[in-house]
Amino acid sequence: MASLCLILQRIHEAGPDLMRSAGHEVRLAGSLERAALLAEIAGARAVLTRDALVDAALMDAAPGLRVIGVHGTGVDNVDLAAATARGIPVVNTPGANARSVAEHALALVFHLAKQIGPGERAVRTGDASFKYRSALTELEGATFGVVGFGAIGRETARLARALGMEPLVWTRRAHDPAVAAAGLAHEPNLGRLLARADIVSLHLPGGPQTRHLIGRAEIARMKPTAFLVNTARGAVIDEEALVEALRGKRIGGAGLDVFAQEPLPLSSPLVGLENVVLTPHVAGSTEAALRRTATALARQVVEVLDGRRPDHLVNTDVAPRLWPEGAS
């Protein structure tokens, strides 16, 4: 039976094409304005979102809703407790954009280490003295701190090691077999990793457990020459503490693709700082990654609509109700 799949924010057309080929109706939401969306979602059996909020009220406005799909890994924009209480599976696409995000994290590192932005501005403004006053960094042999070791963290560590850096990994597990399997050094104490690393790259999901994981005390542990890179979720860093550290030159610099508020307001003090590189949450937005992610998400949604358990079920507590056989 054809089901209405409502896409809240535009995704690569490969995803909608896949859902249509499976016999489902696909529609892009006309607006994210609350009242309009509550009305438009009424007949949806599937809702697909990138970072738009899907809360209990939205779920209740769609009584036939059978699946919520998240374009990417982070699901902090979905009320998981509400979805689970209503028996609605939430699916995501871990790993689909891992390569692109890992490349972007390293691009931010290179920008900071080689002062690409300031150097480019120097050329455009005729600042010949930049060459003689700049302090550039060679990355070979640098300790590359990886905070979080999901698909993106693993790929970033792999690329960093290929470039001659030495990855050092912290995860929320005291003994993480994935780190050992990758042949990398594991540091179970976050403070010690921060003190040792020349670069700290964050790869953690959002949510209460990781909110402001990197705050004043943690930034104070970092080397004065260290770079902090965040392509994960803005709330993982206490932005006020980071701004203070950057203003005081207490760390070498920061590369940020995500922020506590997105889009980043022009009034943010981050905008006026020269020792920070800012990009607008585009790490996973390469053509290849967008195609893979949209296709992976559409496949998950179709599986649920067709009565099958998806590969990437976030709220596993709904499984026994929906797929009693083999639900574990």
Side-chain angles (χ1 to χ4, degrees):
M1 181 180 72
S3 297
L4 171 60
C5 303
L6 184 66
I7 301 175
L8 301 190
Q9 296 153 300
R10 191 176 299 277
I11 64 175
H12 194 285
E13 195 57 32
D17 285 348
L18 190 154
M19 290 185 285
R20 291 189 189 100
S21 69
H24 300 295
E25 179 187 355
V26 180
R27 184 190 307 160
L28 178 65
S31 171
L32 292 183
E33 192 276 326
R34 189 69 172 175
L37 188 55
L38 285 169
E40 189 170 10
I41 202 173
R45 293 173 67 81
V47 169
L48 290 74
T49 180
R50 294 182 71 163
D51 59 10
L53 178 68
V54 181
D55 59 10
L58 216 58
M59 297 175 204
D60 289 340
L65 190 61
R66 291 183 56 196
V67 59
I68 299 167
V70 178
H71 184 279
T73 302
V75 294
D76 45 311
N77 57 318
V78 176
D79 187 335
L80 290 178
T84 302
R86 290 158 177 75
I88 303 171
V90 178
V91 298
N92 65 348
T93 58
N97 63 1
R99 174 69 189 212
S100 290
V101 178
E103 289 180 354
H104 196 90
L106 288 169
L108 293 174
V109 172
F110 271 97
H111 188 115
L112 292 165
K114 308 304 179 184
Q115 294 194 29
I116 302 298
E120 198 257 1
R121 287 193 294 273
V123 172
R124 290 182 182 273
T125 59
D127 181 6
S129 68
F130 174 83
K131 177 176 181 178
Y132 303 102
R133 69 173 190 275
S134 60
L136 309 183
T137 303
E138 186 170 286
L139 294 172
E140 185 172 16
T143 298
F144 190 91
V146 181
V147 179
F149 204 61
I152 297 171
R154 290 194 297 273
E155 182 65 7
T156 306
R158 188 186 72 80
L159 294 179
R161 183 161 62 174
L163 289 166
M165 290 180 272
E166 301 292 335
L168 180 65
V169 181
W170 176 87
T171 70
R172 287 178 286 173
R173 301 174 64 177
H175 303 284
D176 195 328
V179 180
L184 300 177
H186 181 242
E187 173 51 75
N189 183 282
L190 178 59
R192 286 199 296 265
L193 179 141
L194 294 170
R196 292 174 58 185
D198 299 298
I199 298 130
V200 177
S201 190
L202 305 179
H203 303 284
L204 294 159
Q209 290 183 315
T210 60
R211 177 175 170 78
H212 291 184
L213 181 74
I214 307 298
R216 284 181 177 80
E218 289 72 28
I219 293 172
R221 298 292 301 271
M222 295 175 62
K223 297 177 180 179
T225 55
F227 302 135
L228 178 61
V229 171
N230 190 9
T231 53
R233 284 292 183 267
V236 175
I237 298 177
D238 179 343
E239 276 186 11
E240 183 178 322
L242 177 60
V243 167
E244 290 176 6
L246 290 170
R247 280 176 171 163
K249 306 292 177 67
R250 294 197 290 274
I251 61 173
L256 307 175
D257 185 54
V258 289
F259 311 95
Q261 180 182 346
E262 296 182 5
L264 183 69
L266 290 178
S267 59
S268 168
L270 288 168
V271 174
L273 297 174
E274 292 191 353
N275 52 350
V276 60
V277 183
L278 310 171
T279 56
H281 203 155
V282 293
S285 295
T286 63
E287 173 74 12
L290 289 174
R291 174 180 286 275
R292 281 195 303 270
T293 306
T295 302
L297 180 58
R299 189 174 294 117
Q300 302 282 318
V301 167
V302 168
E303 285 178 351
V304 176
L305 292 176
D306 289 351
R308 299 188 298 273
R309 175 170 175 162
D311 292 332
H312 301 297
L313 178 63
V314 178
N315 54 340
T316 55
D317 288 348
V318 304
R321 282 178 274 173
L322 301 174
W323 303 282
E325 295 183 10
S328 61

